[in-house]
């Protein structure tokens, strides 16, 4: 891709893990900017698309999860000089749609539906993300966290979100 000449809008989705309600799903990026870094499900906002619709679409495309109860969480201004990219990232917060009468084992979990873009999904607490943010600070965002670190390096927008620690996001994660 040629050098980016305009700001792009990304949407990241904090999806509560129904088995561990104080955790959200994230996965290691692959074959894209931020390769090897830990990121939330999400992607580019399409023309005429609402933030909510983008969050639902990206969650379904990447993880197979249907989400609802979406709320605005935060926005970050992500300038990635080393990658010649500039994004405004809108963070949405939501929950998995759960059918009545499901057992613990039947609660929805993410599938890796884009294995060419993601190594797989797991769930992380805010404390996990804060620890990774502290360890990630000063690291090169494009490096492979699996090969070079014992912890995942956070993708730039997620790192900014954790650094800014907005109250509404903390409330979402600590009060399921």
């Amino acid at each position: 891709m040629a050098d980016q000449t305009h700001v792009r809008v990304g949407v990241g989705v904090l999806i509560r893990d129904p088995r561990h309600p104080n955790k959200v799903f994230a996965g290691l990026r692959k074959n894209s900017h931020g390769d090897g870094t830990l990121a939330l499900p999400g992607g580019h906002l399409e023309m005429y698309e609402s933030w909510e619709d983008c969050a639902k679409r990206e969650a379904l495309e990447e993880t197979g999860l249907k989400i609802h109860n979406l709320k605005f969480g935060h926005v970050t201004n992500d300038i990635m000089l080393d990658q010649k990219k500039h994004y405004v990232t809108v963070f949405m917060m939501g929950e998995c749609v759960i059918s009545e009468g499901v057992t613990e084992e039947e609660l929805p979990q993410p599938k890796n539906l884009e294995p060419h873009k993601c190594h797989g999904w797991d769930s992380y607490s805010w404390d996990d993300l804060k620890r990774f943010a502290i360890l990630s600070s000063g690291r090169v965002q494009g490096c492979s966290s699996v090969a070079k670190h014992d912890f995942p390096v956070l993708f730039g927008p997620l790192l900014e979100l954790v650094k800014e620690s907005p109250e509404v996001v903390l409330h979402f994660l600590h009060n399921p």
Side-chain angles (χ1 to χ4, degrees):
M1 177 178 178
D3 288 351
Q4 188 172 318
T5 59
H6 58 281
V7 177
R8 301 284 314 261
V9 178
V11 175
V13 193
L14 293 142
I15 304 172
R16 189 188 315 276
D17 181 344
R19 293 184 185 169
H20 307 281
N22 293 100
K23 294 184 174 187
V24 294
F25 296 117
L28 290 174
R29 293 174 64 88
K30 185 173 168 184
N31 298 323
S32 184
H33 67 283
D35 184 51
T37 60
L38 188 69
L40 300 170
H44 294 112
L45 182 69
E46 293 182 357
M47 187 68 82
Y48 310 116
E49 187 175 41
S50 71
W51 299 342
E52 294 85 356
D53 287 344
C54 181
K56 287 178 183 179
R57 176 181 55 77
E58 289 289 350
L60 189 61
E61 287 175 2
E62 294 181 5
T63 68
L65 295 172
K66 292 181 182 177
I67 59 173
H68 67 149
N69 296 336
L70 283 159
K71 294 182 176 106
F72 171 77
H74 193 63
V75 65
T76 57
N77 184 33
D78 307 302
I79 299 169
M80 305 170 207
L81 291 175
D82 59 327
Q83 298 170 47
K84 297 184 168 90
K85 294 183 183 295
H86 184 179
Y87 279 82
V88 170
T89 306
V90 176
F91 291 93
M92 300 297 291
M93 305 175 300
E95 300 172 336
C96 295
V97 173
I98 302 172
S99 303
E100 284 189 46
V102 298
T103 66
E104 175 82 16
E105 296 80 35
E106 297 170 322
L107 288 172
Q109 292 293 288
K111 299 176 186 79
N112 190 6
L113 299 181
E114 295 183 334
H116 58 288
K117 293 183 180 179
C118 180
H119 289 280
W121 300 104
D122 204 346
S123 63
Y124 301 89
S125 69
W126 190 254
D127 287 340
D128 293 333
L129 297 175
K130 283 193 317 190
R131 186 173 68 255
F132 301 154
I134 291 166
L135 296 170
S136 297
S137 293
R139 304 284 185 176
V140 177
Q141 287 294 307
C143 70
S144 171
S145 62
V146 175
K148 297 184 181 182
H149 308 291
D150 293 334
F151 61 90
V153 173
L154 298 184
F155 182 51
L158 180 56
L159 180 60
E160 282 304 309
L161 177 71
V162 174
K163 283 181 182 177
E164 294 174 19
S165 292
E167 194 61 38
V168 67
V169 172
L170 298 177
H171 186 266
F172 171 76
L173 286 166
H174 292 55
N175 299 289

